[in-house]
Amino acid sequence: EAGVTQSPTHLIKTRGQQATLRCSPISGHTSVYWYQQALGLGLQFLLWYDEGEERNRGNFPPRFSGRQFPNYSSELNVNALELEDSALYLCASSLDPIQWNEQYFGPGTRLTVT
Amino acid sequence: GQQVMQIPQYQHVQEGEDFTTYCNSSTTLSNIQWYKQRPGGHPVFLIQLVKSGEVKKQKRLTFQFGEAKKNSSLHITATQTTDVGTYFCAYSSNTGKLIFGQGTTLQVKP
């Protein structure tokens, strides 16, 4: 069974640009979560999508947005990039978001903003 | 909102020594999960605890959920170099959000 996949592996952007990160969940999983992990810090919850809808978001500005497609894959968009957006962005998926929220993580996208 | 505090932040041990990380909450948790992130890797789910006083074992790892469901611990017996990484506790809120502790980074000296 394929795990959660993310692309690209690395992304280098300049300040002010936009970044698009992609995630494909495990087959059969309908929930996709996005986290930001800045260097030396823990995982900060960004967004949760389930069945194509945004269910919850963390304390991030509106320039962090995303969507979930009918095949449950997801995209994270970061507009007007700032230097402090440099981080590892992790996507995770789960089968049942409420009852059993075991999450499976992808390898992440390392975003560097210069 | 609820937060979970993990201690210690860092731990250096000699190979063969035991290691314990603690996760504490000021409020009752419905569940607690533990994840391990190897250096350069991504978090990997280890276990979930849901019952008061629950204890689960995975080989050299022992996980406990406190009687009041406000704290949890992960204990590793006789650490090995393969245990190196950051261990996170997390709880699942009733809104489906998973809230992570700050993690404990374990270094094992051979």
Coordinates of all heavy atoms in Angstrom, one line a residue, chain A residues 1-89:
Chain A
E1 N 0.9 -1.2 0.0 CA 0.0 0.0 0.0 C 0.9 1.2 0.0 O 1.8 1.4 0.8 CB -0.9 0.0 1.3 CG -1.8 1.2 1.4 CD -2.5 1.2 2.7 OE1 -3.6 0.6 2.7 OE2 -2.1 1.9 3.6
A2 N 0.6 2.2 -0.9 CA 1.5 3.4 -1.0 C 1.1 4.3 0.2 O 0.0 4.4 0.6 CB 1.2 4.1 -2.3
G3 N 2.1 5.0 0.6 CA 1.9 5.9 1.7 C 1.5 7.3 1.2 O 1.2 7.4 0.1
V4 N 1.6 8.2 2.1 CA 1.3 9.6 1.7 C 2.4 10.1 0.9 O 3.6 10.0 1.3 CB 1.1 10.5 3.0 CG1 0.8 11.9 2.6 CG2 -0.1 9.9 3.8
T5 N 2.1 10.7 -0.2 CA 3.2 11.3 -1.0 C 3.0 12.8 -1.1 O 1.9 13.4 -1.0 CB 3.1 10.7 -2.5 OG1 1.9 11.0 -3.1 CG2 3.4 9.2 -2.4
Q6 N 4.1 13.5 -1.2 CA 4.1 15.0 -1.3 C 5.1 15.4 -2.4 O 6.1 14.7 -2.7 CB 4.6 15.6 0.0 CG 3.6 15.4 1.1 CD 4.0 16.2 2.4 OE1 4.3 15.6 3.4 NE2 4.0 17.5 2.3
S7 N 4.7 16.5 -3.0 CA 5.6 17.1 -4.0 C 5.5 18.6 -4.0 O 4.5 19.1 -3.6 CB 5.2 16.5 -5.4 OG 3.9 17.0 -5.8
P8 N 6.6 19.3 -4.4 CA 7.9 18.7 -4.6 C 8.6 18.4 -3.3 O 8.1 18.7 -2.2 CB 8.6 19.9 -5.3 CG 8.0 21.1 -4.7 CD 6.6 20.8 -4.5
T9 N 9.8 17.8 -3.3 CA 10.6 17.5 -2.1 C 11.1 18.8 -1.6 O 11.2 19.0 -0.4 CB 11.7 16.5 -2.5 OG1 11.1 15.4 -3.1 CG2 12.4 16.1 -1.2
H10 N 11.7 19.6 -2.5 CA 12.2 20.9 -2.1 C 11.7 22.0 -3.0 O 11.4 21.7 -4.1 CB 13.8 20.9 -2.2 CG 14.5 19.9 -1.3 ND1 14.7 18.6 -1.6 CD2 14.9 20.1 0.0 CE1 15.3 18.0 -0.6 NE2 15.5 18.9 0.4
L11 N 11.5 23.2 -2.4 CA 11.0 24.3 -3.2 C 11.7 25.5 -2.7 O 11.8 25.8 -1.5 CB 9.5 24.4 -2.9 CG 8.7 25.3 -3.8 CD1 8.9 25.0 -5.3 CD2 7.2 25.3 -3.4
I12 N 12.3 26.3 -3.6 CA 13.0 27.5 -3.3 C 12.3 28.7 -3.9 O 12.1 28.6 -5.2 CB 14.5 27.5 -3.7 CG1 15.2 26.3 -3.0 CG2 15.2 28.8 -3.4 CD1 16.6 26.1 -3.5
K13 N 11.9 29.6 -3.1 CA 11.1 30.8 -3.6 C 11.8 32.0 -3.1 O 12.5 32.0 -2.1 CB 9.7 30.7 -3.2 CG 8.9 29.5 -3.9 CD 8.5 29.8 -5.3 CE 7.6 28.8 -5.9 NZ 7.3 29.1 -7.3
T14 N 11.4 33.1 -3.7 CA 11.9 34.4 -3.1 C 10.7 35.1 -2.5 O 9.5 34.8 -2.7 CB 12.4 35.4 -4.2 OG1 11.4 35.5 -5.3 CG2 13.7 34.8 -4.8
R15 N 11.0 36.0 -1.6 CA 10.0 36.7 -0.8 C 9.0 37.4 -1.7 O 9.4 38.0 -2.7 CB 10.7 37.8 0.1 CG 9.9 38.3 1.2 CD 10.7 39.1 2.2 NE 11.7 40.0 1.5 CZ 12.6 40.7 2.2 NH1 12.7 40.7 3.5 NH2 13.4 41.5 1.5
G16 N 7.7 37.3 -1.4 CA 6.7 37.9 -2.2 C 6.1 36.9 -3.2 O 4.9 37.2 -3.6
Q17 N 6.8 35.8 -3.5 CA 6.2 34.9 -4.5 C 5.2 34.0 -3.8 O 4.9 34.1 -2.6 CB 7.3 34.0 -5.0 CG 8.2 34.7 -6.1 CD 9.2 33.7 -6.7 OE1 9.8 32.9 -6.1 NE2 9.3 33.8 -8.0
Q18 N 4.6 33.1 -4.6 CA 3.6 32.2 -4.2 C 4.1 30.8 -4.3 O 4.9 30.5 -5.2 CB 2.3 32.3 -5.0 CG 1.2 31.4 -4.5 CD 0.3 30.8 -5.6 OE1 0.8 30.7 -6.7 NE2 -0.9 30.4 -5.3
A19 N 3.8 29.9 -3.3 CA 4.2 28.5 -3.4 C 3.0 27.6 -3.4 O 2.0 27.9 -2.7 CB 5.1 28.2 -2.2
T20 N 3.1 26.5 -4.1 CA 2.0 25.5 -4.1 C 2.6 24.2 -3.8 O 3.6 23.7 -4.5 CB 1.3 25.5 -5.5 OG1 0.7 26.7 -5.8 CG2 0.3 24.4 -5.5
L21 N 2.1 23.6 -2.8 CA 2.6 22.3 -2.3 C 1.4 21.3 -2.5 O 0.3 21.6 -2.3 CB 3.0 22.3 -0.8 CG 4.2 23.1 -0.5 CD1 4.1 24.6 -0.8 CD2 4.5 22.9 1.0
R22 N 1.8 20.0 -2.9 CA 0.8 19.0 -3.2 C 0.9 17.8 -2.3 O 2.1 17.4 -1.9 CB 0.9 18.6 -4.6 CG 0.5 19.8 -5.6 CD 0.6 19.5 -7.0 NE 0.1 20.6 -7.8 CZ 0.9 21.6 -8.2 NH1 2.2 21.6 -7.8 NH2 0.5 22.6 -8.9
C23 N -0.2 17.1 -2.1 CA -0.2 16.0 -1.2 C -1.2 15.0 -1.7 O -2.4 15.3 -2.1 CB -0.6 16.4 0.2 SG -0.9 15.1 1.4
S24 N -0.8 13.7 -1.7 CA -1.8 12.6 -2.1 C -1.9 11.7 -0.9 O -0.9 11.2 -0.4 CB -1.3 11.8 -3.3 OG -1.4 12.6 -4.4
P25 N -3.1 11.5 -0.3 CA -3.3 10.7 0.9 C -3.2 9.2 0.6 O -3.2 8.8 -0.6 CB -4.7 11.1 1.4 CG -5.4 11.4 0.1 CD -4.4 12.1 -0.8
I26 N -3.2 8.4 1.6 CA -3.3 7.0 1.5 C -4.6 6.6 0.8 O -5.6 7.3 1.2 CB -3.1 6.3 2.8 CG1 -1.6 6.4 3.3 CG2 -3.5 4.8 2.8 CD1 -1.3 5.9 4.7
S27 N -4.6 5.7 0.0 CA -5.9 5.3 -0.7 C -6.9 4.9 0.4 O -6.7 4.1 1.3 CB -5.6 4.1 -1.6 OG -6.8 3.6 -2.2
G28 N -8.1 5.5 0.2 CA -9.2 5.3 1.2 C -9.3 6.3 2.3 O -10.3 6.4 3.0
H29 N -8.2 7.1 2.5 CA -8.3 8.1 3.5 C -8.9 9.4 2.9 O -8.6 9.8 1.8 CB -6.9 8.5 4.0 CG -6.3 7.4 4.9 ND1 -5.1 7.7 5.6 CD2 -6.6 6.2 5.1 CE1 -4.8 6.6 6.3 NE2 -5.7 5.7 6.0
T30 N -9.9 9.9 3.7 CA -10.6 11.1 3.2 C -10.1 12.4 3.8 O -10.4 13.5 3.4 CB -12.1 11.0 3.4 OG1 -12.3 10.9 4.8 CG2 -12.7 9.7 2.7
S31 N -9.4 12.3 5.0 CA -9.0 13.5 5.7 C -7.5 13.7 5.4 O -6.7 12.8 5.4 CB -9.1 13.3 7.2 OG -10.4 13.7 7.6
V32 N -7.2 15.0 5.1 CA -5.8 15.5 4.9 C -5.5 16.6 5.8 O -6.4 17.5 6.0 CB -5.6 15.9 3.4 CG1 -4.3 16.6 3.2 CG2 -5.7 14.7 2.5
Y33 N -4.4 16.6 6.4 CA -4.0 17.6 7.3 C -2.6 18.2 6.8 O -1.8 17.5 6.3 CB -3.7 17.0 8.7 CG -4.9 16.2 9.3 CD1 -5.1 14.9 8.9 CD2 -5.8 16.8 10.2 CE1 -6.1 14.2 9.4 CE2 -6.8 16.1 10.7 CZ -7.0 14.8 10.3 OH -8.0 14.0 10.8
W34 N -2.5 19.5 7.1 CA -1.2 20.2 6.8 C -0.6 20.7 8.1 O -1.3 21.3 8.9 CB -1.4 21.3 5.8 CG -1.7 20.9 4.4 CD1 -3.0 20.7 3.8 CD2 -0.8 20.5 3.4 NE1 -2.8 20.3 2.5 CE2 -1.5 20.2 2.2 CE3 0.6 20.5 3.3 CZ2 -0.9 19.8 1.0 CZ3 1.2 20.1 2.2 CH2 0.5 19.8 1.0
Y35 N 0.7 20.6 8.2 CA 1.4 21.1 9.4 C 2.7 21.8 8.9 O 3.3 21.5 7.8 CB 1.9 19.9 10.3 CG 0.8 19.1 10.9 CD1 0.2 18.0 10.3 CD2 0.3 19.5 12.2 CE1 -0.8 17.3 10.9 CE2 -0.7 18.8 12.8 CZ -1.2 17.7 12.1 OH -2.2 16.9 12.7
Q36 N 3.1 22.8 9.7 CA 4.3 23.5 9.4 C 5.3 23.1 10.5 O 4.9 23.2 11.7 CB 4.1 25.0 9.4 CG 5.4 25.8 9.1 CD 5.2 27.3 9.5 OE1 5.1 27.6 10.7 NE2 5.3 28.1 8.5
Q37 N 6.5 22.7 10.2 CA 7.5 22.4 11.2 C 8.7 23.3 10.8 O 9.6 23.0 10.0 CB 7.9 20.9 11.1 CG 8.8 20.6 12.3 CD 9.0 19.1 12.4 OE1 9.1 18.4 11.4 NE2 9.2 18.6 13.6
A38 N 8.9 24.4 11.6 CA 10.0 25.3 11.4 C 11.2 24.6 12.1 O 11.0 23.8 13.0 CB 9.7 26.6 11.9
L39 N 12.4 25.0 11.7 CA 13.6 24.4 12.2 C 13.7 24.4 13.7 O 13.5 25.5 14.3 CB 14.8 25.1 11.6 CG 16.2 24.3 11.8 CD1 16.1 23.0 11.1 CD2 17.3 25.2 11.3
G40 N 13.8 23.2 14.3 CA 13.9 23.2 15.8 C 12.6 23.3 16.5 O 12.6 23.3 17.8
L41 N 11.5 23.4 15.8 CA 10.2 23.6 16.5 C 9.4 22.4 16.3 O 9.6 21.5 15.4 CB 9.5 24.9 15.9 CG 10.2 26.2 16.2 CD1 9.4 27.3 15.6 CD2 10.5 26.4 17.7
G42 N 8.3 22.3 17.0 CA 7.3 21.2 16.8 C 6.5 21.4 15.6 O 6.7 22.3 14.8
L43 N 5.4 20.6 15.6 CA 4.5 20.6 14.5 C 3.4 21.6 14.8 O 2.7 21.5 15.8 CB 3.9 19.3 14.2 CG 4.9 18.2 13.6 CD1 5.5 17.4 14.7 CD2 4.2 17.3 12.6
Q44 N 3.2 22.6 13.9 CA 2.1 23.5 14.1 C 1.0 23.2 13.1 O 1.2 23.2 11.8 CB 2.6 25.0 13.8 CG 3.8 25.4 14.7 CD 3.4 25.4 16.1 OE1 2.3 25.9 16.5 NE2 4.3 24.8 17.0
F45 N -0.2 23.0 13.6 CA -1.3 22.6 12.7 C -1.7 23.8 11.8 O -1.9 24.9 12.3 CB -2.5 22.2 13.6 CG -3.8 22.1 12.9 CD1 -4.1 21.0 12.1 CD2 -4.8 23.0 13.0 CE1 -5.3 20.8 11.4 CE2 -6.0 22.9 12.3 CZ -6.2 21.8 11.5
L46 N -1.9 23.5 10.6 CA -2.2 24.5 9.6 C -3.7 24.4 9.1 O -4.5 25.3 9.3 CB -1.4 24.4 8.3 CG -0.1 25.3 8.2 CD1 0.7 24.7 7.0 CD2 -0.5 26.7 7.9
L47 N -4.0 23.3 8.5 CA -5.3 23.1 7.9 C -5.7 21.6 8.0 O -4.9 20.7 8.0 CB -5.3 23.5 6.4 CG -5.1 25.0 6.1 CD1 -4.6 25.2 4.7 CD2 -6.5 25.7 6.3
W48 N -7.0 21.4 8.0 CA -7.6 20.1 7.9 C -8.7 20.1 6.9 O -9.6 20.9 6.9 CB -8.1 19.7 9.3 CG -9.0 18.4 9.3 CD1 -8.8 17.3 8.5 CD2 -10.1 18.2 10.1 NE1 -9.8 16.4 8.7 CE2 -10.6 16.9 9.7 CE3 -10.8 18.9 11.1 CZ2 -11.7 16.3 10.3 CZ3 -11.8 18.3 11.7 CH2 -12.3 17.0 11.3
Y49 N -8.6 19.2 5.9 CA -9.7 19.0 4.9 C -10.2 17.6 5.0 O -9.5 16.6 5.3 CB -9.1 19.2 3.5 CG -8.7 20.6 3.2 CD1 -7.4 21.0 3.4 CD2 -9.6 21.5 2.8 CE1 -7.0 22.3 3.1 CE2 -9.3 22.8 2.6 CZ -8.0 23.2 2.7 OH -7.6 24.5 2.5
D50 N -11.5 17.5 4.9 CA -12.2 16.2 4.9 C -13.4 16.3 3.9 O -14.2 17.2 4.0 CB -12.7 15.9 6.3 CG -13.3 14.5 6.3 OD1 -12.6 13.5 6.0 OD2 -14.5 14.4 6.7
E51 N -13.4 15.3 3.0 CA -14.5 15.2 2.0 C -14.6 16.5 1.2 O -15.7 17.0 0.9 CB -15.8 14.9 2.7 CG -15.9 13.5 3.4 CD -16.0 12.4 2.4 OE1 -16.1 12.6 1.2 OE2 -16.0 11.2 2.8
G52 N -13.5 17.1 0.9 CA -13.5 18.3 0.1 C -13.7 19.6 0.8 O -13.7 20.7 0.1
E53 N -14.0 19.5 2.1 CA -14.3 20.8 2.8 C -13.2 21.1 3.8 O -12.6 20.2 4.4 CB -15.6 20.6 3.6 CG -16.8 20.2 2.7 CD -17.8 21.3 2.6 OE1 -17.8 22.2 3.4 OE2 -18.6 21.2 1.7
E54 N -13.0 22.4 4.0 CA -12.0 22.8 5.1 C -12.8 22.7 6.4 O -13.8 23.3 6.6 CB -11.6 24.3 4.9 CG -10.6 24.7 6.0 CD -10.2 26.2 5.8 OE1 -9.6 26.5 4.7 OE2 -10.4 27.0 6.7
R55 N -12.2 21.8 7.3 CA -12.9 21.6 8.6 C -12.4 22.4 9.7 O -13.0 22.7 10.7 CB -12.8 20.1 9.0 CG -13.3 19.1 7.9 CD -14.8 19.2 7.8 NE -15.3 18.2 6.9 CZ -16.6 18.1 6.6 NH1 -17.5 19.0 7.0 NH2 -17.0 17.1 5.7
N56 N -11.1 22.7 9.6 CA -10.5 23.5 10.7 C -9.2 24.1 10.2 O -8.6 23.6 9.3 CB -10.2 22.5 11.9 CG -10.3 23.3 13.2 OD1 -10.0 24.4 13.3 ND2 -10.6 22.5 14.3
R57 N -8.8 25.2 10.8 CA -7.5 25.8 10.5 C -6.8 26.3 11.7 O -7.5 26.6 12.7 CB -7.6 26.9 9.4 CG -8.3 28.1 9.9 CD -8.3 29.1 8.7 NE -7.0 29.6 8.4 CZ -6.4 29.7 7.2 NH1 -7.1 29.2 6.1 NH2 -5.2 30.2 7.0
G58 N -5.5 26.3 11.7 CA -4.7 26.8 12.8 C -4.6 28.3 12.8 O -5.2 29.0 12.0
N59 N -3.7 28.8 13.7 CA -3.5 30.2 13.8 C -2.5 30.7 12.8 O -1.4 31.1 13.2 CB -3.0 30.5 15.2 CG -4.1 30.2 16.3 OD1 -5.3 30.4 16.0 ND2 -3.7 29.8 17.4
F60 N -2.9 30.7 11.6 CA -2.0 31.2 10.5 C -2.8 32.2 9.7 O -4.0 32.2 9.6 CB -1.6 30.0 9.6 CG -0.5 29.2 10.1 CD1 -0.8 28.1 11.0 CD2 0.8 29.4 9.8 CE1 0.2 27.4 11.5 CE2 1.8 28.6 10.3 CZ 1.5 27.6 11.2
P61 N -2.1 33.2 9.1 CA -2.8 34.2 8.3 C -3.5 33.7 7.1 O -3.2 32.6 6.6 CB -1.6 35.2 8.0 CG -0.4 34.4 8.1 CD -0.6 33.3 9.1
P62 N -4.4 34.4 6.5 CA -5.2 34.0 5.4 C -4.4 33.7 4.2 O -4.9 33.0 3.2 CB -6.2 35.1 5.1 CG -6.2 35.9 6.4 CD -4.9 35.7 7.1
R63 N -3.1 34.2 4.1 CA -2.3 33.9 2.9 C -1.9 32.4 2.8 O -1.4 31.9 1.8 CB -1.1 34.8 2.8 CG -0.2 34.7 4.0 CD 0.8 35.8 4.0 NE 1.8 35.7 5.1 CZ 2.8 34.8 5.0 NH1 3.0 34.2 3.9 NH2 3.6 34.7 6.1
F64 N -2.2 31.7 3.9 CA -2.1 30.2 3.9 C -3.5 29.7 3.6 O -4.4 29.9 4.3 CB -1.6 29.7 5.2 CG -0.2 29.9 5.5 CD1 0.2 31.1 6.1 CD2 0.8 28.9 5.3 CE1 1.6 31.4 6.3 CE2 2.1 29.2 5.6 CZ 2.5 30.4 6.1
S65 N -3.6 29.0 2.4 CA -4.9 28.4 2.1 C -4.7 27.1 1.3 O -3.5 26.7 1.0 CB -5.6 29.4 1.2 OG -4.9 29.6 -0.1
G66 N -5.7 26.5 1.1 CA -5.6 25.2 0.3 C -6.9 24.7 -0.2 O -7.9 25.4 -0.1
R67 N -6.9 23.5 -0.7 CA -8.1 22.9 -1.1 C -7.9 21.4 -1.2 O -6.8 20.9 -1.2 CB -8.6 23.4 -2.4 CG -7.5 23.4 -3.5 CD -8.1 24.0 -4.8 NE -7.1 24.1 -5.8 CZ -7.3 24.3 -7.1 NH1 -8.6 24.4 -7.6 NH2 -6.3 24.5 -8.0
Q68 N -9.0 20.7 -1.2 CA -9.0 19.2 -1.4 C -9.8 18.9 -2.6 O -10.9 19.4 -2.8 CB -9.6 18.5 -0.2 CG -9.4 17.0 -0.2 CD -9.9 16.3 1.0 OE1 -10.9 16.7 1.6 NE2 -9.2 15.2 1.4
F69 N -9.3 18.1 -3.5 CA -9.9 17.7 -4.7 C -10.8 16.5 -4.5 O -10.7 15.8 -3.5 CB -8.8 17.4 -5.8 CG -7.9 18.6 -6.0 CD1 -6.7 18.7 -5.4 CD2 -8.4 19.6 -6.9 CE1 -5.9 19.8 -5.6 CE2 -7.6 20.7 -7.1 CZ -6.3 20.9 -6.5
P70 N -11.6 16.2 -5.5 CA -12.6 15.0 -5.4 C -11.8 13.7 -5.2 O -12.4 12.8 -4.6 CB -13.3 15.0 -6.8 CG -13.3 16.5 -7.2 CD -12.0 17.0 -6.7
N71 N -10.6 13.6 -5.6 CA -9.9 12.3 -5.4 C -9.1 12.4 -4.0 O -8.3 11.5 -3.7 CB -8.9 12.1 -6.5 CG -7.7 13.1 -6.5 OD1 -7.8 14.1 -5.8 ND2 -6.8 12.9 -7.4
Y72 N -9.5 13.4 -3.2 CA -8.9 13.6 -1.8 C -7.5 14.1 -1.8 O -7.0 14.3 -0.7 CB -9.1 12.3 -1.0 CG -10.5 11.8 -0.9 CD1 -10.9 10.6 -1.4 CD2 -11.5 12.6 -0.3 CE1 -12.2 10.2 -1.4 CE2 -12.8 12.2 -0.3 CZ -13.2 11.0 -0.8 OH -14.5 10.6 -0.7
S73 N -6.9 14.2 -2.9 CA -5.6 14.9 -2.8 C -5.7 16.3 -2.5 O -6.9 16.9 -2.5 CB -4.8 14.8 -4.2 OG -5.5 15.5 -5.2
S74 N -4.7 17.0 -2.1 CA -4.8 18.3 -1.5 C -3.7 19.2 -2.0 O -2.6 18.7 -2.3 CB -4.9 18.3 0.0 OG -4.9 19.6 0.6
E75 N -3.9 20.5 -1.9 CA -2.9 21.5 -2.3 C -2.9 22.5 -1.2 O -3.9 22.9 -0.6 CB -3.5 22.2 -3.6 CG -2.5 22.5 -4.6 CD -3.1 23.1 -5.9 OE1 -3.8 24.1 -5.8 OE2 -3.0 22.4 -6.9
L76 N -1.7 22.9 -0.8 CA -1.5 24.0 0.1 C -0.9 25.2 -0.7 O 0.2 25.0 -1.3 CB -0.6 23.6 1.3 CG -0.1 24.7 2.2 CD1 -1.3 25.2 3.0 CD2 1.0 24.2 3.2
N77 N -1.5 26.3 -0.6 CA -1.0 27.5 -1.2 C -0.5 28.5 -0.2 O -1.2 28.8 0.8 CB -2.0 28.2 -2.1 CG -2.4 27.3 -3.3 OD1 -1.6 27.0 -4.2 ND2 -3.6 26.7 -3.2
V78 N 0.7 29.1 -0.4 CA 1.1 30.1 0.5 C 1.4 31.4 -0.4 O 2.3 31.3 -1.3 CB 2.4 29.7 1.3 CG1 2.8 30.8 2.3 CG2 2.2 28.4 1.9
N79 N 0.7 32.4 -0.2 CA 0.9 33.6 -1.0 C 1.8 34.6 -0.3 O 2.0 34.5 1.0 CB -0.5 34.3 -1.2 CG -1.4 33.4 -2.1 OD1 -1.0 32.9 -3.1 ND2 -2.7 33.4 -1.7
A80 N 2.3 35.6 -1.0 CA 3.1 36.6 -0.5 C 4.1 36.1 0.5 O 4.1 36.5 1.7 CB 2.2 37.7 0.2
L81 N 5.0 35.2 0.1 CA 5.9 34.5 0.9 C 6.8 35.4 1.7 O 7.3 36.5 1.2 CB 6.8 33.5 0.1 CG 6.1 32.3 -0.4 CD1 6.9 31.6 -1.5 CD2 5.9 31.3 0.8
E82 N 7.0 35.0 3.0 CA 7.9 35.8 3.9 C 9.0 34.9 4.3 O 8.9 33.6 4.2 CB 7.1 36.3 5.1 CG 6.0 37.2 4.7 CD 5.2 37.7 5.9 OE1 5.5 37.3 7.1 OE2 4.2 38.4 5.7
L83 N 10.1 35.4 4.7 CA 11.3 34.6 5.1 C 11.0 33.6 6.1 O 11.4 32.5 6.1 CB 12.4 35.5 5.6 CG 13.0 36.5 4.6 CD1 14.1 37.4 5.2 CD2 13.6 35.8 3.4
E84 N 10.1 34.0 7.1 CA 9.8 33.1 8.2 C 8.9 31.9 7.8 O 8.5 31.1 8.6 CB 9.1 33.8 9.4 CG 8.0 34.7 9.0 CD 8.4 36.1 8.8 OE1 9.5 36.4 8.3 OE2 7.6 37.0 9.1
D85 N 8.4 31.9 6.5 CA 7.7 30.8 6.0 C 8.6 29.6 5.7 O 8.1 28.5 5.4 CB 6.9 31.2 4.8 CG 5.8 32.2 5.0 OD1 5.3 32.3 6.2 OD2 5.5 33.0 4.1
S86 N 9.9 29.8 5.7 CA 10.8 28.7 5.4 C 10.6 27.6 6.5 O 10.8 27.9 7.7 CB 12.2 29.2 5.5 OG 12.5 30.2 4.4
A87 N 10.3 26.4 6.1 CA 10.0 25.4 7.0 C 9.8 24.1 6.2 O 9.7 24.1 5.0 CB 8.8 25.7 7.8
L88 N 9.6 23.0 7.0 CA 9.2 21.7 6.4 C 7.7 21.7 6.5 O 7.1 21.9 7.6 CB 9.8 20.6 7.2 CG 9.5 19.1 6.7 CD1 10.0 18.9 5.3 CD2 10.0 18.1 7.7
Y89 N 7.0 21.5 5.4 CA 5.6 21.4 5.4 C 5.2 19.9 5.2 O 5.5 19.3 4.3 CB 5.0 22.2 4.3 CG 5.1 23.7 4.6 CD1 6.3 24.4 4.3 CD2 4.1 24.4 5.2 CE1 6.4 25.7 4.7 CE2 4.2 25.7 5.6 CZ 5.4 26.4 5.3 OH 5.6 27.7 5.6

